[in-house]
């Protein structure tokens, strides 16, 4: 049985943003179209956000989906 005492190399993030921003950047780099939207709302564990602060986000989401989904 072989044992290794080395710890795995620590990954250093070269991307300055957070995880959603990194995902969006990589998705766009791969040729995808994506939008990242933030809702200015308080967060409470176990509770839904106050959707009254979303403005026209759902309308913009529907337009985005309609543009990319082929309906037959």
């Amino acid at each position: 049985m072989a044992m290794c005492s080395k710890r795995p190399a620590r990954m250093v993030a070269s991307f300055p943003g957070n995880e959603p921003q990194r995902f969006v950047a990589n998705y766009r780099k791969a040729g995808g179209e994506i939008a990242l939207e933030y809702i200015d709302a308080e967060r409470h564990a176990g509770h839904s956000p106050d959707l009254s602060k979303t403005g026209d986000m759902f309308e913009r989401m529907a337009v985005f989906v309609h543009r990319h989904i082929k309906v037959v």
Side-chain angles (χ1 to χ4, degrees), residues 15-52:
F15 185 82
N18 59 31
E19 182 61 21
Q21 293 166 341
R22 184 181 71 80
F23 178 85
V24 167
N26 287 333
Y27 195 85
R28 286 182 179 143
K29 192 185 323 180
E33 184 178 341
I34 188 169
L36 178 61
E37 301 284 342
Y38 288 97
I39 300 171
D40 185 23
E42 294 182 29
R43 296 173 62 178
H44 301 285
H47 293 79
S48 297
D50 179 4
L51 297 180
S52 68

Side-chain angles (χ1 to χ4, degrees), residues 4 13 15 19-20 25 29 41 48 50 57-58 60 63 67 70:
C4 181
F15 185 82
E19 182 61 21
K29 192 185 323 180
S48 297
D50 179 4
M57 183 183 70
F58 288 106
R60 289 182 290 135
V63 168
R67 193 168 62 233
K70 183 178 180 181

